[in-house]
């Protein structure tokens, strides 16, 4: 092949096959160089796929608008194409691999005619790290190339690290006509292959992210004895310099990016507390030589929710977007060629286009930015990026935190009694749906470990894998907690201030890990004594308010237990006995 950047036979063979299938006019080997990316950005601007933003105010930044029918992940069109249907389990859509390949190849046949095939070599994790995994994505989208350049370690050094190995993940993406009816995101765990057609939206097409780093990697983790999780990773530094690392799994658009970059409340800042971000969405976790659980972030950037991100709520995220970032489906301010979204500030631009590219009147009550509009920002831009960000093995985890959006039922925070109970707590995560996926918003659904859309195999086997990891970790296992920042009052307002003030809850979690505070043993686990959560300096928030969100309402939990039992019913024989036993304990505790 001309200009090939590798001689790896498995890579060349696969690419040749895909060239024959998709019939591109031109093939471009992406080498990751600045010059080549600049050339592509310029080309993207000339075709209208990208808009170059104000170079003074937002240097190196671009705006991209997706098709209006293509703004979020499509869970109903996402398939796990394992050999056996049973291996996909009751929470995934399944298609037989032969059938899926043949249907997808029919869609992809000739799909690159008149277009360019971009060949993207990328690494999940630092290139050359023993824990890194490599992938190649073929795409006909410049937006995908320049986004992958932010989200992953991308470039020709990946071929050097890969050598002649055939241990790499194959990814084929074809925009086709962005036809919703022919949109498919398919995973073939047995072949380490992902095929995505008829979409241009991030989570469907940046194949290193959810498709590889969670759906394929969760399969690899199960086989190889590690874990691929939908988790942020952060370090809390105490005034004495000691850093405690925490991994937390919340469903999509439920606060991972915000927690990962939180700025401590003034009171804590004055004392010397700091928070360091290791990752905001995905954690790969292994048992280290010391027997503890170590987590690294396989990504190299943030694909964050734009609306709600402000200098007040998450300055670190906002600052991360101020150079070399891509904005998708936000408002284009035509006066100064910058961007805006709801709750960025109180001054929506007067002369602007909305996310659909239409002239937008900010006073007409319509939203300017799509609720799932996003920014793609280099991790290196983040002011609180951890010094361990590039460390291959990552950081040792002291606590695992689950959470979701629950107006009622789940208290602000509680701790599991032990690892298996913690797995139970993770398995029963329920949350109101958000705009991150197409479909109704605000409906409570079970989202175990925030992995419902991302676990690439049978959820019952996945729970068993968690239980097995706990056995291996023994007394070195992280402690497991659950949080809920989203309890509402009778008027529907959030009771807990959230954001930076979530550090107050993390402090309790760390104190529990260190055995420094006692707790109330309740039917669902250990709940804080109100005295042990610091509410000093909070406005309009007193001890009674705190008590109201620490409350465990037995009647609501009895309903919850019934819901869990029904949910567990789907898993039949695959429900681990340990989790059934935990449910029985919960029911007994509620009597
Ligand atoms: P994905 O990228 O989809 O995985 O989302 P995420 O989990 O990283 O969520 P993110 O941090 O982007 O937050 C999503 C939404 O939740 C934003 O609108 C935030 O403003 C809001 N949010 C985050 N943290 C809090 C909090 O502590 N309290 C409240 N009330 N809202 C929050
Ligand atoms: C999520 O939906 O959890 C995201 C965005 O982080 S996406 O990449 O679309 O999955
Ligand atoms: Mn996510």
């Amino acid at each position: 092949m001309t200009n090939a950047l590798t001689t790896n036979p498995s890579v060349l063979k696969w690419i040749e096959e895909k060239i024959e299938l998709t019939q591109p006019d031109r093939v471009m080997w992406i080498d990751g160089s600045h010059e080549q990316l600049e050339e592509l950005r310029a080309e993207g601007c000339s075709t209208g796929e990208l808009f170059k933003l104000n170079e003074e105010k937002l240097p190196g930044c671009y705006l991209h608008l997706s098709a209006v029918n293509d703004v979020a992940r499509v869970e109903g069109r996402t398939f796990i194409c394992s050999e056996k249907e049973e291996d996909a389990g009751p929470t995934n859509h399944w298609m037989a691999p032969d059938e899926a390949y043949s249907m997808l190849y029919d869609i992809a046949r000739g799909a690159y005619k008149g277009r360019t095939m971009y060949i993207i070599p990328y690494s999940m994790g630092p290139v050359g790290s023993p824990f890194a995994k490599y992938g190649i994505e073929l795409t006909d989208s410049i937006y995908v190339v320049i986004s992958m350049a932010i989200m992953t370690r991308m470039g020709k050094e990946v071929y050097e690290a890969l050598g002649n190995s055939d241990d790499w993940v194959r990814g084929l993406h074809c925009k086709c006509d962005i036809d919703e009816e022919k949109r498919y995101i398919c995973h073939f765990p047995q072949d380490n292959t992902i095929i995505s057609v008829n979409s241009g939206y991030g989570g469907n097409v940046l194949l290193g992210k959810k498709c590889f780093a969670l759906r394929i990697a969760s399969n690899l983790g199960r086989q190889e004895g590690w874990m691929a999780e939908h988790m942020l990773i952060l370090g809390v530094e105490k005034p004495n310099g000691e850093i405690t690392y925490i991994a937390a799994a919340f469903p999509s658009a439920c606060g991972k990016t915000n927690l990962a970059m939180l700025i401590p409340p003034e009171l804590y800042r004055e004392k010397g507390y700091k928070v360091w971000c290791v990752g905001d969405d995905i954690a790969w976790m292994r048992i280290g030589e010391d027997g503890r659980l170590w987590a690294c972030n396989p990504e190299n950037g943030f694909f964050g929710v734009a609306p709600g991100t402000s200098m007040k709520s998450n300055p670190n995220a906002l600052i991360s977007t101020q150079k070399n970032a891509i904005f998708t489906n936000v408002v284009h301010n035509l006066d100064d060629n910058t961007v805006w979204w709801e709750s960025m500030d109180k001054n929506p631009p007067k002369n602007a286009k909305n996310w659909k590219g239409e002239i937008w009147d900010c006073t007409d009550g319509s939203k300017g930015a799509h609720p799932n509009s996003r920014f793609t920002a280099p991790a290196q831009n983040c002011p609180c990026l951890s010094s361990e960000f590039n460390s291959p093995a990552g950081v040792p985890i002291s606590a695992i935190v689950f959470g979701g959006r629950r107006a009622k039922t789940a208290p602000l925070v509680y701790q599991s009694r032990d690892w298996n109970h913690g797995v139970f707590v993770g398995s029963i995560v329920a949350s109101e749906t958000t705009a991150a996926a197409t479909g109704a918003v605000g409906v409570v659904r079970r989202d175990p470990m925030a992995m419902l859309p991302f676990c690439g195999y049978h959820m019952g086997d996945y729970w068993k894998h968690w239980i097995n990891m706990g056995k291996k970790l023994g007394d070195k296992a992280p402690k497991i907690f659950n949080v809920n920042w989203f309890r509402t009052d009778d008027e529907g307002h959030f009771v807990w201030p959230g954001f930076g003030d979530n550090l107050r809850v993390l402090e309790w979690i760390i104190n529990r890990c260190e055995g420094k505070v006692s707790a109330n043993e309740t039917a669902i686990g250990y709940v804080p004594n109100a005295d042990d959560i610091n509410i000093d300096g909070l406005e309009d928030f007193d001890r009674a308010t705190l008590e109201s969100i620490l409350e465990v309402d037995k009647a609501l939990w009895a309903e919850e237990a019934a819901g869990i039992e029904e949910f567990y019913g789907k898993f039949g024989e695959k429900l681990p006995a340990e989790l059934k036993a935990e449910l029985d304990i919960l029911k007994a505790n509620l009597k």
Side-chain angles (χ1 to χ4, degrees), residues 73 209-210 230 250-259 280-281 303-305 307-309 313-314 372 374 405 434 436 485-486 494 496-499 502:
R73 286 182 293 99
K209 197 173 177 58
K210 295 308 189 353
H230 190 201
F250 312 151
S252 301
C254 290
K256 288 182 300 301
T257 302
N258 277 272
L259 189 68
D280 81 325
D281 198 51
F303 184 55
V305 177
T309 306
S313 68
N314 191 349
N372 191 41
R374 293 201 173 236
R405 270 177 201 268
T434 65
W485 315 139
F486 300 96
F494 295 122
W496 178 246
F499 301 98
N502 292 333

Side-chain angles (χ1 to χ4, degrees), residues 172 234 462:
L172 172 64
L234 64 76
Y462 167 79

Side-chain angles (χ1 to χ4, degrees), residues 59-61 150 261 300-302 315-326 376-385 389:
C61 291
I150 295 174
M261 300 178 191
N300 202 26
F302 310 118
N316 286 322
L318 196 65
I319 292 166
S320 303
T321 66
Q322 301 300 289
K323 60 177 190 219
N324 304 325
I326 305 169
T376 312
Q380 297 300 335
N381 284 356
C382 181
C384 65
L385 193 70
F389 177 74

Side-chain angles (χ1 to χ4, degrees), residues 323-337:
K323 60 177 190 219
N324 304 325
I326 305 169
F327 300 92
T328 307
N329 295 342
V330 298
V331 174
H332 192 182
N333 180 343
L334 300 173
D335 278 334
D336 64 354
N337 192 25

Side-chain angles (χ1 to χ4, degrees), residues 44 67 192 205 262 302 318 370 393 401 478 489 529 579:
N192 281 346
V205 301
L262 81 73
F302 310 118
L318 196 65
H370 187 274
V401 181
D489 60 19
N529 296 306
L579 296 188

